[in-house]
Amino acid sequence: MKWNLRWVAAKRDIWRPSDLKTAFEQVGFTPSLNKVCALWSSKPVTVRLDDLDMICAALNCTVADLMTAEPVAAEQTEEGDRPQAVGEHPRAGSGSRPVPKQTGGAVGQRRPLPPN
């Protein structure tokens, strides 16, 4: 999501966080100046729906004005670069069953497989 608070505020001739805080207070929304500055300067990780409603009321806008969906770019990786799922390509010579790890005991002794 793209956070467009500054753009929407600029359309309403609001250029500073302190002016934005004043606009918020006119509709009964009283966040701290620190919170307003955080909303102003960067994309918030979370926004309460009640707060979002008050922001829209103060700026006379919609949620669609404040947030714009951005498509997620699909990463194009080569076959060898992508992570493999467990068991996707069995190890050479392992057959259809996994090979148990060696135990700390005698050389060549293997752990028993779990029951099916």
Side-chain angles (χ1 to χ4, degrees), residues 65-108:
D65 296 331
L66 285 175
M67 293 187 281
T68 307
E70 294 180 320
V72 177
E75 294 182 22
Q76 296 179 349
T77 60
E78 295 182 19
E79 184 69 22
D81 292 344
R82 74 175 179 84
Q84 292 181 349
V86 174
E88 184 176 352
H89 296 289
R91 291 176 283 174
S94 67
S96 62
R97 295 194 63 170
V99 177
K101 291 183 177 181
Q102 298 283 47
T103 61
V107 176

Side-chain angles (χ1 to χ4, degrees), residues 23-96:
F24 287 166
E25 290 170 349
Q26 290 175 354
V27 294
F29 182 43
T30 56
S32 68
L33 186 56
N34 285 339
K35 183 173 181 176
V36 175
C37 288
L39 290 171
W40 182 266
S41 64
S42 63
K43 178 172 69 170
V45 175
T46 61
V47 180
R48 291 180 47 206
L49 293 177
D50 294 339
D51 293 350
L52 192 57
D53 190 36
M54 297 299 270
I55 292 168
C56 289
L59 296 174
N60 193 24
C61 66
T62 65
V63 175
D65 296 331
L66 285 175
M67 293 187 281
T68 307
E70 294 180 320
V72 177
E75 294 182 22
Q76 296 179 349
T77 60
E78 295 182 19
E79 184 69 22
D81 292 344
R82 74 175 179 84
Q84 292 181 349
V86 174
E88 184 176 352
H89 296 289
R91 291 176 283 174
S94 67
S96 62

Side-chain angles (χ1 to χ4, degrees), residues 10-27:
K11 286 182 180 179
R12 274 99 184 138
D13 203 29
I14 297 172
W15 302 99
R16 295 179 297 174
S18 58
D19 296 336
L20 184 61
K21 185 175 183 340
T22 303
F24 287 166
E25 290 170 349
Q26 290 175 354
V27 294

